[in-house]
Structures are given as C-alpha cells and as structure tokens.
Amino acid sequence: MNVVVCVKQIPDPAAPQALDPQTHNLVREGKLILDDSDSYGVEMALQLAEQAGGGEVTIVSMAPNGETSGLRTALAMGAAKAILISDEALRGSDALSTAKVLAKAIERVSPDLVLAATESTDGYTGTTPVQVAELLGLPSITFAKKVSIAGGKVTVERQTEAGYDEVECPLPAVVTVTAGVVEPRYPSFKGIMAAKSKPVDQLTVADLGLEGQVGSAGARQAITDVADADTRQSGEIVVDEGDAHERVVQFLEQLKLV
Amino acid sequence: MRFAFEDRQVEFRDQLRSFTEKECTAAEVRAAWDSELGWSPDRWAAMAELGLLGLTVPEDLGGFGFGFLDLVLLLEEAGRSGLPEPLLETVGLAVPLLLDLPGPEADGLRAEVLPRVAIGESVLTVGLSSMVAVPAAAGADLLLLEDAGELHAVAPAETRLIPRPSIDGARRPARVDWDPTPDTLLASAAESAPVLARLADRAAVGTGALLLGVADRLIASAAAYATDRHQFGVPIGSFQAVKHQLADALVRLEFARPVVYRAAWSLDSAEPAVSRHASMAKAYAAEAALGAARTALQVHGAIGYTWEHDLQLWMKKAWALSTAWGDAADHRARVLEALLAEAAGPG
C-alpha cells in the first residue's frame, strides 16, 4: 500500500514568530522544521504500510528556499522518499494554491491513501487537505482518531464534540489525522543516516504545469489587516472584610452557576 | 583543517535532545532518585531503539563503530538532561575497553556481549581497585574490574554489592566484593596496563563532557530565573552583581568546551599527548561545572536550597561528577607530570 503524507515545514514554534509588515504573511526565512502535528500522519502512514505488508510512504511538501530539513526528519522516521515543491513563484500562496500544488504532486505518485494533519501549527487554516481531496476528486474524512484499512476501504473513527463517529469510504481517499492518533517514533540514528541517501524530488511550478495559477498571482484570499487580539481583562479582586463568601456567592449567581 | 563537528554528529545530538525533552524531564530525573536502580530500564530500551547504545559497538557486531567525537556531544546532552542511565559507563568506557583488549580470547567475549549492548540487553560498568565504589554496579549485567593491575570480567552473581552513599541520588555507587579467579581473568597486568591508561583518559573526557552539559543546564536555569524573578521592580538579572556572575560562569563553560572537544579528538586520533589533553578536559570541565553550581545557587537565593526546586538535581551531579575519576587537582597534577615528561624528552 502506497501512502502519501502531506507535511508542512514551519518555523520552530519555540522561536519568536513575526509577520511581514507589508504582506502580513508569516516570516518563514530561517530554518524550518517538520510541523509536530504532521509527525502523527507520518507515523500513521508507516504503521499502515507495515500492516499492509508492503508499500511505500512518500512525503509531499511545499516550502520556500528548497527547505528539506523537516522532510529529512520524516525520512529518518522511515518514509521512503519525498517530493518538495519550492519555487519563488509560490510566494504569497493561499490555502487553495497550496492545495493545487500538493494535488498535482500527489497525482504523480497515485497513492492508495493520502494523509495530512487536521491543520498546521503556524497557519491554522485547516482547509488545505479537503481542498486537495476535491482537486483530486477523492473522498475525504477529517479528524481521524483511529484509521484502519481493509478490503479496499478505509475505516475511521472520526472525532466529534460528543465522542466519535465510525465512518468508512473506498480507497483511494484523503484522511486528516488528529494529534495523538498514534505515538510518533523517534527517528533513530540509523534512520537519520539512511535519510541522507533517500531521494527528494525537487519540483517547480512549471514542472507541475501550474504557472500563473498559484502564488500571489493565483491567490483568492488576501490578508487585508492584522490587529492585536483583545488583552484579557483583569478580574475583580475582592478584599475580604468579613463578607467575601457572600460576594463569591453573588458572583457565582451572576454566572448562573449557583 | 576543519574545526567543527560533522552534520551527523550535531544531528545525533539534536535527536537525543528531542528524546530527552520528552523522556527525561526534571520530574523523571527526580523519579530516578526514588527508583530501585537509580535509572529506568524502559528508558534504557528506548535509548537502544534510538541507536545510542550501539554507538561505539563495531558495525559487524550490530553497532555504528563510532568514537569519542560522536559520543562527546551525546554525553554533553546526557549531562544537560540529567539522564540517569549508565551511558558513560557502558557506551563510553566498558565497550571501548573490551575493544582495546588484546588476544583472540577477548574476541569471544566481544562477540557475546557487544551485540547485546547495542540492543539494550546488557548493561556494563567498569571499576578499579583504587575506587571506593563502582558506579552503576547494581544494574550491571557484567562488571569489568581491575585487581592488582589485571582486568577481569565478573558476572553480578559472583559479586557482593555494598551500596555506598552518593550525593547524586541517581548515581548508586557500590563497593564490589569479589574474588579474582582464572575464569574471570581477561588480561594480564602487562596487557592491561595500556588498556587501563586508555580507560582513565576516556573516563576523564567522558565525565568532562557530562559536566559541560550539567554546567550548561545550571547556567540556563539560573539565567531564566534571573530574568523571571523581580526585585525593586526589575528582573534581578539586570543588576550587575547578578549578571556578571552569570557571565563569568558562561565564560568558564565556553572555555572548557573546546578543551573537552579537543580531548575527544585526541582519543579518536591516537594523539601522543592524549592523556594530557584528557586531564586538561576534566580539570576545566569540573571547574566550569562547580563554578556554575555555585553561581546558580547564589542567583536562585533561598529557593535554590530547597528539596522541591530542581536546581539541586544538577548541582549534586556537578559535585559528584567533578570528583569522579579524579578531581580537578588530580588532573592538574597529571598535566604537570605530562608537561615535565614532554620537556625532558624521550628517555
């Protein structure tokens, strides 16, 4: 079984983040790392390929400046190869542009299953995976907390607010997995060394035949303004003058808690 | 000439860091103090999975066959995270010692033991007759012990362990009572002498590397505390008397680092002055760590003295490791001896 995992390489969340004052886009110039939420998809894919008794896991990613360090992490975990789409023309891409690029790259592999995280940890749009599914004409299931494959179908426990729904659909399909779906393995030293010789295909917009349709040229979405979130109001401080318990009860009554 | 680590060596270090950030938190280090062995067999198994335990085991025996230049950054990281497992004893000391042993007799033992080390099924430690206690003796599956200049391989069943106190609660040293027999003998005194000299050098560099990490952790936590703790309306780190102490501690650490790294290089390249380099490494690293411990305690103030604060875990590691395998004064004396011998020339 061949599985494609869409991953995003993001600025290290531990480092301070910045927005470009002109474009309001996230500054992504430094070293990028594998989005932690994507490591669950990579682990899931590796487990499903192992359970199926064969097949390859391919990583697909779009990133600026030919960045591969996050891909190497996924390859060190055990993925067989990676496809990276990096092109100056992709600057300013919105979620749909990203989805077009990923879909075109995924078509080259014709996988049995496409996995992605529910959303990235830097952009949080959470729309790209379903757009990819739509562009590929594939069914999609989101928020998987358990995934199993049998008889040409994928069965998913889909996380809901109340619990989970069990849903299934025929393969190939796109499935987004939640954080915690599996415990991602640590890339071993052997894996890190092996990753250096695994193939990473670097593609451009022209290679995918998407000139003029992606990047800021193809963006249908623009950030017009950025504003600070409201600061949290400080709470009311009650000084106990013998009536504090009454004030607390009053407060709880206001909230209709008592 | 290239004065930097290979990408691979740095990547291994980074990988161990992301491993310890999850698997060896301060709470885990603290838990090790209360555990039976002083360390966690589960984490040892995970370290084997990572490939850490096969680092010095030759490739044909299931390892990587790497040397101290690969190990030094990993030991530093082990010190930084307070990793309680006997990484230095097994991977840094016992495995290279077994590889140094001459003669085909040792081949059998190597073939039997080393593949098991790489997969985490055999914990080793080493001890000298001059030592008050052997580190990590309790959990070891095989003890490589020196007696009257000879090296012996002793199974735990043939020993009686008398636990000795250690300021570092995860360290668990023990006096080992055992009887040398022809069956346990690995190498004669004449064969053992150069092997034991190499062991002493590796132990100095290895503890030096651990101490670099310990010092780094102590300085980082003191700096974080000095940024966070306010007095007179400003962070205490803005006061010169505080920040200069921290800067001095950092300078001592940064001066010690290249000395330890150089000694690791000397170990791998059979450099003639390796013993001098190893002793310099231990002396510099011990003083950097002890200085960092003193400064960190001073900066933390009263809370740094409490059992509940994590500072003590690393402070006590600095104290215990700085005297292990010879303290700074011992190693300065070794440096002096080596310099005088070099000045006198051969013969």
Side-chain angles (χ1 to χ4, degrees):
Chain A
M1 193 174 80
N2 292 320
V3 186
V4 159
V5 188
C6 301
V7 306
K8 190 166 182 184
Q9 303 175 86
I10 61 168
D12 190 341
Q17 310 281 309
L19 294 176
D20 185 306
Q22 250 82 55
T23 64
H24 303 312
N25 288 329
L26 189 64
V27 177
R28 307 171 78 222
E29 287 307 318
K31 186 191 170 193
L32 304 178
I33 62 169
L34 181 69
D35 188 340
D36 210 34
S37 63
D38 286 326
S39 60
Y40 300 97
V42 175
E43 178 63 41
M44 187 83 249
L46 292 169
Q47 286 186 15
L48 290 173
E50 279 159 22
Q51 282 159 21
E56 276 187 348
V57 175
T58 305
I59 306 298
V60 174
S61 185
M62 179 177 122
N65 309 325
E67 179 65 57
T68 59
S69 53
L71 298 179
R72 294 283 169 209
T73 305
L75 293 172
M77 286 173 75
K81 60 182 197 287
I83 299 174
L84 172 70
I85 311 93
S86 192
D87 196 319
E88 195 51 34
L90 290 168
R91 192 174 290 278
S93 287
D94 57 5
L96 182 59
S97 292
T98 309
K100 285 178 188 167
V101 168
L102 295 178
K104 280 284 178 199
I106 292 165
E107 271 175 5
R108 297 177 159 230
V109 188
S110 42
D112 302 300
L113 178 68
V114 178
L115 293 179
T118 52
E119 61 186 359
S120 66
T121 311
D122 63 345
Y124 291 109
T125 54
T127 51
T128 309
V130 281
Q131 290 174 332
V132 168
E134 190 62 28
L135 290 164
L136 290 170
L138 296 179
S140 70
I141 304 177
T142 51
F143 300 107
K145 67 183 212 74
K146 194 170 175 199
V147 182
S148 50
I149 305 280
K153 283 189 306 198
V154 55
T155 308
V156 169
E157 287 181 7
R158 184 178 185 277
Q159 184 79 49
T160 65
E161 273 179 27
Y164 66 87
D165 296 332
E166 195 170 294
V167 286
E168 61 175 42
C169 80
L171 292 174
V174 176
V175 174
T176 73
V177 296
T178 56
V181 64
V182 279
E183 184 61 39
R185 66 194 71 185
Y186 293 105
S188 70
F189 291 175
K190 203 169 265 178
I192 292 172
M193 285 166 60
K196 293 193 188 303
S197 52
K198 288 180 177 175
V200 177
D201 285 344
Q202 296 225 20
L203 302 177
T204 62
V205 169
D207 292 333
L208 298 175
L210 289 171
E211 297 102 317
Q213 302 171 51
V214 292
S216 43
R220 301 186 185 184
Q221 191 185 320
I223 303 167
T224 52
D225 193 20
V226 176
D228 288 333
D230 288 339
T231 49
R232 264 176 62 172
Q233 302 294 315
S234 58
E236 184 191 351
I237 296 172
V238 176
V239 180
D240 186 10
E241 287 164 355
D243 63 342
H245 57 286
E246 287 166 15
R247 305 271 303 273
V248 169
V249 171
Q250 275 171 19
F251 175 72
L252 293 174
E253 276 173 347
Q254 259 176 33
L255 295 176
K256 297 194 167 67
L257 286 171
V258 288
Chain B
M1 191 174 267
R2 191 181 143 86
F3 289 109
F5 285 98
E6 306 281 341
D7 289 348
R8 178 196 72 226
Q9 291 159 341
V10 175
E11 283 165 32
F12 282 10
R13 192 266 319 271
D14 291 349
Q15 188 53 29
L16 180 56
R17 184 170 298 184
S18 43
F19 174 82
T20 55
E21 275 171 0
K22 285 189 186 145
E23 308 293 335
C24 187
T25 58
E28 291 279 346
V29 177
R30 195 177 278 272
W33 283 47
D34 299 324
S35 69
E36 195 189 330
L37 283 175
W39 52 273
S40 148
D42 287 347
R43 194 162 42 233
W44 189 257
M47 285 160 65
E49 195 88 359
L50 197 62
L52 190 54
L53 303 185
L55 201 84
T56 51
V57 171
E59 276 183 274
D60 58 351
L61 295 177
F64 290 101
F66 290 146
F68 247 75
L69 268 178
D70 282 84
L71 193 55
V72 71
L73 291 180
L74 299 170
L75 287 172
E76 188 178 340
E77 205 49 47
R80 195 171 166 277
S81 59
L83 197 73
E85 283 67 34
L87 178 67
L88 171 65
E89 288 76 10
T90 300
V91 178
L93 303 181
V95 170
L97 182 139
L98 283 174
L99 295 173
D100 278 352
L101 286 175
E105 307 85 28
D107 283 341
L109 184 64
R110 283 191 277 262
E112 183 197 323
V113 173
L114 297 186
R116 294 174 57 80
V117 170
I119 57 171
E121 287 183 1
S122 193
V123 177
L124 311 180
T125 193
V126 291
L128 306 178
S129 53
S130 59
M131 292 163 94
V132 181
V134 176
D141 299 295
L142 186 69
L143 298 95
L144 304 173
L145 301 172
E146 175 268 336
D147 180 75
E150 297 169 345
L151 274 163
H152 292 258
V154 188
E158 300 161 37
T159 65
R160 203 163 70 86
L161 301 182
I162 299 117
R164 305 284 304 184
S166 171
I167 184 78
D168 176 2
R171 209 165 150 74
R172 305 300 166 84
R175 198 181 89 199
V176 182
D177 286 352
W178 62 290
D179 297 311
T181 68
D183 283 348
T184 59
L185 186 69
L186 279 177
S188 68
E191 286 170 334
S192 296
V195 178
L196 289 166
R198 298 272 293 161
L199 169 69
D201 292 342
R202 288 197 195 96
V205 182
T207 44
L210 288 169
L211 283 162
L212 292 182
V214 170
D216 189 283
R217 177 69 167 244
L218 286 164
I219 296 168
S221 60
Y225 184 77
T227 318
D228 191 41
R229 170 92 166 102
H230 283 60
Q231 193 58 269
F232 309 112
V234 288
I236 60 167
S238 64
F239 303 131
Q240 284 198 339
V242 174
K243 68 177 159 193
H244 284 187
Q245 283 193 46
L246 283 168
D248 286 344
L250 187 62
V251 167
R252 276 192 296 269
L253 172 60
E254 291 305 325
F255 277 15
R257 258 202 182 109
V259 183
V260 176
Y261 296 164
R262 191 264 302 261
W265 180 86
S266 298
L267 276 172
D268 281 4
S269 15
E271 156 70 36
V274 60
S275 291
R276 174 159 59 82
H277 295 169
S279 281
M280 284 175 69
K282 180 67 202 284
Y284 268 85
E287 280 167 4
L290 289 175
R294 200 169 52 236
T295 301
L297 183 61
Q298 181 80 40
V299 169
H300 277 80
I303 193 144
Y305 285 87
T306 59
W307 181 262
E308 290 75 10
H309 199 281
D310 292 333
L311 186 69
Q312 53 132 344
L313 302 172
W314 277 268
M315 217 157 55
K316 288 169 183 170
K317 272 195 195 306
W319 296 341
L321 288 168
S322 59
T323 56
W325 300 94
D327 66 11
D330 295 331
H331 284 285
R332 284 193 192 286
R334 281 213 329 161
V335 171
L336 176 65
E337 222 171 279
L339 284 174
L340 291 175
E342 283 167 36

